[in-house]
Amino acid sequence: GPTTILLDEISNKYGPVKFSHRVHAEMSEMGDGCYGCHHYNQARPIQQCRECHSTSRIRTDLGKPDLQGARHRQCVDCHLQWSHNSECNSCHAKKTSDSTGVKIGERKAFAKMTVPAKVVFETNSVKGKFVTFFHGDHAQHFGLKCVDCHQQQPCAACHDSKKTGVQPAAQNEKKGSHRGSMEDLHKPCFTCHATDKCGACHMDKPLEVFDHARSTGWALNRFHARLECQRCHTTVPRFVKLATGCESCHNSWQKKFDHKKTGLALNETHAGLDCDNCHTDKNFVTRASCEPCHQDKKYPKDKPGQIVAAAKR
C-alpha cells in the first residue's frame, strides 16, 4: 500500500489531510486488520471511499454517510480514545492567506508514547502476588513485534495522551491491569514460556530489570550488549547458559580480528603477537597487561599502538 495518502476532495477553510497510511496499516495488525477501515473490500481491487460515499452532503439515502461523515466516523472514534479531544487541527491544518497565496499551517503534534521498561501486575494470589513483565527486554532484545502479544486491542491500550511522559520510578516502571479468564491471562506468556510452575513468574515482590552481569556473572561489552538475545542464545524460546570462550561463537576469530575495532590500532611489533601474549588470562574484555614481556611498562600508560576512533560495529 501507499506510504501516505493526500485527502483533499473536501477542502474549504482547511487544507488537505496527509493520512499516514503505512503507519496505520502496521498498527491495524493489532486490531481488526485492513478490514477495520476497508469494510467492503474483501476482494481486490481496493475501493476508494468516494466510490460509495458521495462528496455532497445533499443526498436521498441518509442511511449512508457522505464522504466527510464516513471519514470522520473512521478516524474520530480511535483518536478520541487516546487524545481525549476532538480538535479539528489534530488532523486538519487551516488555510492562511499571505503575500504568496494559500499556505498550509502546522498541524497539532501528537504526544509521544513512553514505552515502559517493565510492567508490574499485582494479582489476587495469596502467595506470589506480583508478576513482573520486562516489556523493554521483550520488545528490544527478544525479537518480538508488538502484534505478537497485542491483538484485538484499542489504540488507547498503549497510546494515551494522559499517560505520556516519564513513567514513575527510575527504571521506567508502570503498574499493569489484568482482566479476563485465567486462560486468557496466561495465553500470551505460555506461547514462549511452557511451564506449570506458578513460582516461575509469581513472586512475593516485583523484580529488578534484567541485568546480564548480575544474573549470569558475565558482563556484556559494548559490541554484544546491543545484540538481540537470539544472536547468541539460539535455543529459542529457552535461553540456556553458553560457553564464554569467543571460539564458541566466532570460529578462528583471532586470525580475522581487526584490533582497530577496540579503538587501539596495534603497531608492527605487537600486531603479529597472539592475543593471549597480552591478554594472559584470555579474558579479552578486560585490559591487557605489559608485564609478561616488559617489566618497565604498564598499560594504559604505555600503549602498544595508536588510539583511533572505535568502530561502531
Side-chain angles (χ1 to χ4, degrees), residues 140-141 212 219-229:
Q140 298 168 17
H141 301 304
H212 204 279
L220 299 178
N221 61 22
R222 66 180 184 272
F223 298 105
H224 294 91
R226 55 174 171 260
L227 298 178
E228 291 184 352
C229 302

Side-chain angles (χ1 to χ4, degrees), residues 57-82:
R57 308 221 77 176
I58 303 173
R59 61 200 186 282
T60 56
D61 183 5
L62 297 181
K64 181 187 292 184
D66 64 295
L67 185 59
Q68 181 177 336
R71 284 180 175 163
H72 281 93
R73 286 172 64 173
Q74 290 281 44
C75 304
V76 171
D77 285 347
C78 287
H79 282 246
L80 273 175
Q81 288 176 7
W82 62 268

Side-chain angles (χ1 to χ4, degrees), residues 120-123 125 127-132 201-207:
V120 178
F121 296 91
E122 187 172 349
T123 70
S125 303
K127 187 177 181 180
K129 192 178 184 68
F130 297 97
V131 175
T132 307
C201 300
H202 290 263
M203 306 290 178
D204 293 329
K205 62 180 181 179
L207 301 178

Side-chain angles (χ1 to χ4, degrees), residues 222-223 260-264 308-313:
R222 66 180 184 272
F223 298 105
K260 287 190 293 185
K261 291 183 177 181
T262 67
L264 175 66
V308 295
K312 293 183 178 180
R313 295 188 63 82

Side-chain angles (χ1 to χ4, degrees), residues 237-249:
R238 294 184 175 274
F239 297 145
V240 297
K241 187 176 181 179
L242 302 176
T244 56
C246 302
E247 294 286 344
S248 62
C249 292

